[in-house]
Amino acid sequence: MTPEGEALLCQGADELKITLDDARQAQFAALMTLLQEANTKVNLTALKTETDIILKHFVDSLSCLRGGHLDGAGRVLDLGTGAGFPALPLAIMRPDTIFSPLDSIRKKIDFVRGAAEALGLGNVQPQVGRAETLGRDPAHRDTYDRVVCRAVAALPVLAELALPLLRPGGLLVAQKGPIAEDELEAGRRAATELGGRVTTVDAFALPVLGDARTLVVVEKVSPSPSKYPRREGVPASQPLF
Ligand code: SAM
């Protein structure tokens, strides 16, 4: 990472009230190199420049820490992690939390696994699979303290995919851009159907760039009905609301 990139990363983190020590800065620099190298061979992410990766992947992922919603979490599933966002930046910042990046595309998880190993992140347990399948598997259903997800689906779809995976009292922390009132309303109804309740809608500006972002937090207050999630692909193709 260039000196300008390091300064930009620290500025973005500062605006989120996050301090990056030298070891963590080195991990972000190593992740940048791995991502840019891998992206020349496999299409992992549309963001290619150092500035875009720093602000729209690294800093944007760190914004998930706003509000302390991940504090005290033991196990966090990153639903639809892609090239490891937000899971890898969060795992760098929270070594005592186990992060499980999940994606249905094997080549993406292969990258995440290799990157976690190269960065020495012993708290990352990547998985290839679909959220619908995990949500019906007793080894995963009702087990996670948090589900995080960024840029995966509309809120009603996320509610169906994520809430069955959470333990009672667990939180879905969904990173969104500006969220329309009708998506939020549909999300509230889907959350209720799945045993959840929207507790926080935190609108803020992405550090440095100022782009609109929203963290939507849904608490699981009661068990999800056993008919959910529906079979693979159905939550997205036929959203509940
Ligand atoms: N979260 C990453 C980010 O913000 O850079 C990736 C976002 S990408 C647009 C969405 C990812 O979600 C894709 O890699 C896709 O394979 C994955 N995905 C979508 N639906 C999924 C599901 N039901 N189960 C597992 N992965 C899913």
Side-chain angles (χ1 to χ4, degrees):
M1 197 185 289
T2 62
E4 294 76 22
E6 282 170 13
L8 196 59
L9 176 61
C10 287
Q11 183 189 346
D14 267 3
E15 287 189 31
L16 293 167
K17 301 186 176 57
I18 293 169
T19 306
L20 294 178
D21 57 23
D22 289 349
R24 289 187 168 106
Q25 282 186 45
Q27 285 176 307
F28 278 107
L31 180 56
M32 169 72 73
T33 304
L34 291 168
L35 195 57
Q36 288 187 316
E37 273 176 14
N39 227 11
T40 61
K41 297 173 204 137
V42 209
N43 188 18
L44 281 177
T45 162
L47 301 180
K48 306 226 182 323
T49 68
E50 180 179 84
T51 301
D52 271 354
I53 291 172
I54 289 170
L55 295 176
K56 297 180 183 171
H57 275 329
F58 296 173
V59 175
D60 194 35
S61 293
L62 293 179
S63 72
C64 201
L65 296 172
R66 278 174 62 92
H69 305 294
L70 300 190
D71 292 358
R75 294 180 70 222
V76 178
L77 183 84
D78 179 8
L79 198 166
T81 192
F85 301 104
L88 290 173
L90 295 176
I92 290 173
M93 298 312 302
R94 296 285 169 98
D96 296 334
T97 300
I98 303 292
F99 288 88
S100 294
L102 170 75
D103 207 286
S104 52
I105 299 179
R106 179 168 298 277
K107 70 175 181 187
K108 296 188 177 184
I109 292 300
D110 286 346
F111 171 78
V112 175
R113 184 175 291 110
E117 278 170 19
L119 299 181
L121 295 172
N123 58 333
V124 176
Q125 298 177 351
Q127 307 179 66
V128 180
R130 290 197 62 100
E132 295 92 325
T133 314
L134 255 63
R136 292 187 163 276
D137 179 346
H140 292 276
R141 190 179 176 98
D142 296 321
T143 64
Y144 293 92
D145 298 306
R146 304 285 184 273
V147 174
V148 294
C149 57
R150 188 185 81 151
V152 174
L155 202 52
V157 180
L158 295 180
E160 180 170 356
L161 296 178
L163 284 165
L165 290 159
L166 287 166
R167 63 157 170 84
L171 305 177
L172 161 63
V173 181
Q175 292 189 278
K176 314 282 295 180
I179 187 163
E181 194 50 47
D182 55 354
E183 181 184 342
L184 193 53
E185 193 44 46
R188 286 186 204 282
R189 276 190 261 149
T192 303
E193 172 73 10
L194 269 293
R197 180 174 63 96
V198 175
T199 58
T200 305
V201 180
D202 173 22
F204 62 100
L206 183 65
V208 185
L209 292 176
D211 298 356
R213 293 288 187 273
T214 316
L215 275 188
V216 181
V217 182
V218 184
E219 182 183 5
K220 181 164 175 176
V221 291
S222 57
S224 300
S226 57
K227 62 184 173 182
Y228 299 123
R230 290 169 291 167
R231 68 176 191 281
E232 290 191 3
V234 177
S237 65
Q238 295 167 39
L240 288 170
F241 295 96

